[in-house]
Amino acid sequence: MELQERLRARGYRLTPQRALVLEAVTTLGHATPEDALGWIRERASGVNISTVYRALELLEGLGLVRHTHLGHGAPTYHASTTPEHVHLVCRQCGGISEVEPDAVQPMVEALERSSGFVADVGHLAVFGLCKECAR
Amino acid sequence: MELQERLRARGYRLTPQRALVLEAVTTLGHATPEDALGWIRERASGVNISTVYRALELLEGLGLVRHTHLGHGAPTYHASTTPEHVHLVCRQCGGISEVEPDAVQPMVEALERSSGFVADVGHLAVFGLCKECAR
DNA sequence: GTTAATGCAAAAACTTTGCAAACCT
DNA sequence: AGGTTTGCAAAGTTTTTGCATTAAC
């Protein structure tokens, strides 16, 4: 299994908890540490929130998950296997929608050209007003 | 004074604390609540952190300050009077640079056209790798 | 004089850490 | 067996809240 290989290549071990955390994030699509724990607790017991934090940090270090800050509070994680996407966060209604990275490609290119900055689009959260609230 | 007018128009009062918070953010350019308090404590005593939080929330509601999430945790505030700008946050070295909103204008237009989403550029933080770290 | 705003202290939300026990390899 | 990982509990951060007192108007 890929996860195990990745872990062992760096001297880490494959534990049920780590597998569950990755599965939770993958299944949920977007998950805060608390969300992931909630999902896990529906199928396993005794998993601790601190383990979730530690697993997320590890998995992120391995490049298997990423996180974004979708506003105040807890970061939101998603699996690296899910297609990259940009988050649109409505400041009015709090709604979150996703768009293809294509939508921001012109920006990425402009930034790289002008500043040499290589933007990580999978990390991008754009705040503003959604269609409904903009009126 | 503009601040007082804005406050009173909504039944709020002008207090030294509120004026100081606005001044701190304006002077510092970018400030977390803790930063603002630090600045304030250099010239006034007895101002409490909870007052800073409350003042920032109020001032933001009045449109006098804005905030951005530049990563990890603490939000960063800046005065609305400062020219809008986009933040580029380097995930490698942690450096933060600013670019003109023009650099992302194509993205803003693309988003509005495709999703009807009105992006708030002053809120935008783009994560990625800066010129130096990208190599 | 009213009523909003502050300071303080305590709570809440979110993360991290130390350590003995349990588990992976 | 041996070193890694976990659960638990406790502490650390950051932000919010309740309430009596103070201050703006």
Side-chain angles (χ1 to χ4, degrees), chain A residues 8-132:
Chain A
R8 298 181 71 171
R10 301 207 196 174
Y12 299 124
R13 295 175 181 177
L14 176 59
T15 63
Q17 290 90 337
R18 286 172 179 173
L20 280 166
V21 169
L22 181 55
E23 200 185 340
V25 170
T26 304
T27 305
L28 292 171
H30 292 92
T32 62
E34 210 61 60
D35 292 339
L37 183 62
W39 186 92
I40 290 169
R41 287 209 164 136
E42 288 172 9
R43 43 223 99 201
S45 61
V47 176
N48 195 274
I49 185 70
S50 65
T51 300
V52 175
Y53 274 97
R54 289 189 276 226
L56 286 170
E57 186 181 359
L58 183 76
L59 294 171
E60 184 154 41
L62 295 175
L64 295 171
V65 304
R66 299 190 178 300
H67 82 270
T68 310
H69 291 278
L70 261 33
H72 285 129
T76 303
Y77 287 82
H78 54 270
S80 303
T81 50
T82 63
E84 289 214 326
H85 53 266
V86 172
H87 300 92
L88 304 182
V89 186
C90 180
R91 277 214 317 267
Q92 188 90 69
C93 67
I96 293 170
S97 50
E98 299 171 13
V99 296
E100 309 253 311
D102 302 16
V104 300
Q105 202 52 41
M107 175 194 76
V108 174
E109 281 160 20
L111 286 180
E112 187 149 10
R113 209 176 323 115
S114 63
S115 318
F117 189 90
V118 182
D120 173 9
V121 167
H123 238 271
L124 192 64
V126 181
F127 293 79
L129 295 175
C130 72
K131 198 177 203 166
E132 286 69 39

Side-chain angles (χ1 to χ4, degrees), chain B residues 4 8 13-14 50 53-54 74-75:
Chain B
Q4 179 154 27
R8 298 181 71 171
R13 296 171 183 180
L14 176 59
S50 64
Y53 274 97
R54 289 189 275 227

Side-chain angles (χ1 to χ4, degrees), chain B residues 9 19 100 131:
Chain B
E100 309 253 313
K131 198 176 203 165

Side-chain angles (χ1 to χ4, degrees), chain B residues 82-94:
Chain B
T82 63
E84 288 215 325
H85 53 265
V86 173
H87 299 92
L88 305 182
V89 186
C90 180
R91 276 215 317 268
Q92 187 91 68
C93 69

Side-chain angles (χ1 to χ4, degrees), chain B residues 9-84:
Chain B
R10 301 209 197 173
Y12 300 125
R13 296 171 183 180
L14 176 59
T15 63
Q17 291 90 336
R18 287 172 178 174
L20 281 166
V21 168
L22 181 56
E23 199 185 341
V25 170
T26 304
T27 305
L28 293 171
H30 292 94
T32 62
E34 208 61 58
D35 291 339
L37 182 62
W39 185 92
I40 290 169
R41 286 210 163 134
E42 288 172 9
R43 44 223 97 201
S45 59
V47 176
N48 194 274
I49 186 68
S50 64
T51 300
V52 174
Y53 274 97
R54 289 189 275 227
L56 286 170
E57 185 181 358
L58 183 77
L59 293 172
E60 185 153 40
L62 294 175
L64 295 170
V65 304
R66 299 190 179 300
H67 82 270
T68 310
H69 292 279
L70 262 33
H72 26 283
T76 304
Y77 288 82
H78 53 272
S80 303
T81 50
T82 63
E84 288 215 325

